[in-house]
Amino acid sequence: MHHNHFAAVCVVIAVMGLGAKGATAQDTVKIGLVMPMTGTVGAAGQEVVAAVKLYMAQHGDMVAGKKIELIIRDDGSIPDNAKRLAQEFVVNDHVAILGAGTTPSAMSMAPIATEGKVPTVVMISGTSVVTERSPYYVRTSFTLGQQSGIIADWAIQNGSKKAVMILSDWAPGAEAGKVFAANFTKGGGQVLDTLKVPLANPDFSPFLQRAHDLAPDTLFVFVPAGQAGTFARQFSERGLDKSGIKLIGPGDIVDDDDLPTTGDTLLGVVTAGIYSAAHPSQLNKDYAAAYKKATGHRANFISVSGYDGMNLIYQALKATNGNTDADTVIGAMKGMKWESPRGPISIDPRTRDIVQNIYIRKVEKVGGEPWAIEFETFPAVKDPLKEAAK
Ligand code: PHB
């Protein structure tokens, strides 16, 4: 009698406990994003997070019967912070999925993803090697090689013979320069000099002066997201927009987040990029309008990398019916294909890297503002450095 009463009370307490907690741990999937919300590439982290939140606002927070809980931590653009934050996510918060940002941070987080067996979606990094650092890494951003090889070939076909490179001095800049120079010299061109600009608080003026003095016909430039506005201002202050030297690069130098503030400076600049806010599809028109409404900014190539990263996570959880086992989730992500605001994309099942169209675009004024207008498409481009190493 006494025992039965005790058991009944226990059941009541257990049920109350469940009710009070709402969804149980098994019903919740925690996603931990380690992003640069401040620091040298703070603009990029903010763009990813804005797009991820937009995706969740549009698609809800329930997938395959699980509640999605998003947690965001700022690494301040410092890789040691990224590693510590990823460790806390895995050990304390028990996140099922991680999101990684820039190359140095993604590199430092890789051992945590591997040892903790946590599927990790890379949403900013553009260097080839990152996806090789963990079998649980999958990328929805881009590689600088994908864009830089194609713009080198385009420049050669359009008469460029002598180029100077101005590169932001860190891993993605080195990779942009390496792939550009390889294709440009293979096509018979010559790289006169490589000028490396510090990543933090860059002053491009002395490098632009030096480039001008070398009298190339072409200037190949890589600056990361958030620096195109400063670059454009100093480019015009030095008179380079009137010098007759052709400015080309990967899409980063005509970042849609900065383009509206660049006036006439970048008109005519040709780039090879993954995304333009002017991409003429209905899906993109809807995306760019929703992003603008939510943030007040024009959608850019970093935002779309975050938006697609969240879609990859949702589609993978649907495919696994909510199972978050790392190998099962990665297995579901491999080979996944979908229509992005940037165009058709897929995850290469061999490399876990993104396969996407690269567009050649020219900056033109439409409705009083500069836009990167696509005029040629290279479909389903893989990371050329991984293809070369096959
Ligand atoms: C990178 O972290 O590799 C990165 C960041 C910003 C860019 C491009 C690449 O615009």
Side-chain angles (χ1 to χ4, degrees), residues 102-103 124-127 142 144 170 172 222 224-225 252 301:
T102 60
T103 293
I124 300 177
S125 170
T127 48
F142 47 84
L144 271 311
W170 57 315
F222 167 74
D252 314 58
F301 68 109

Side-chain angles (χ1 to χ4, degrees), residues 143-175:
T143 71
L144 271 311
Q146 273 178 326
Q147 303 162 76
S148 305
I150 285 176
I151 198 65
D153 297 346
W154 184 88
I156 290 289
Q157 279 156 24
N158 286 273
S160 291
K161 293 189 168 57
K162 290 178 190 230
V164 169
M165 303 197 292
I166 294 184
L167 307 171
S168 178
D169 191 12
W170 57 315
E175 191 159 311

Side-chain angles (χ1 to χ4, degrees), residues 10-29:
C10 286
V11 168
V12 168
I13 289 171
V15 169
M16 277 170 56
L18 260 182
K21 258 173 74 187
T24 63
Q26 280 91 344
D27 297 330
T28 302
V29 175

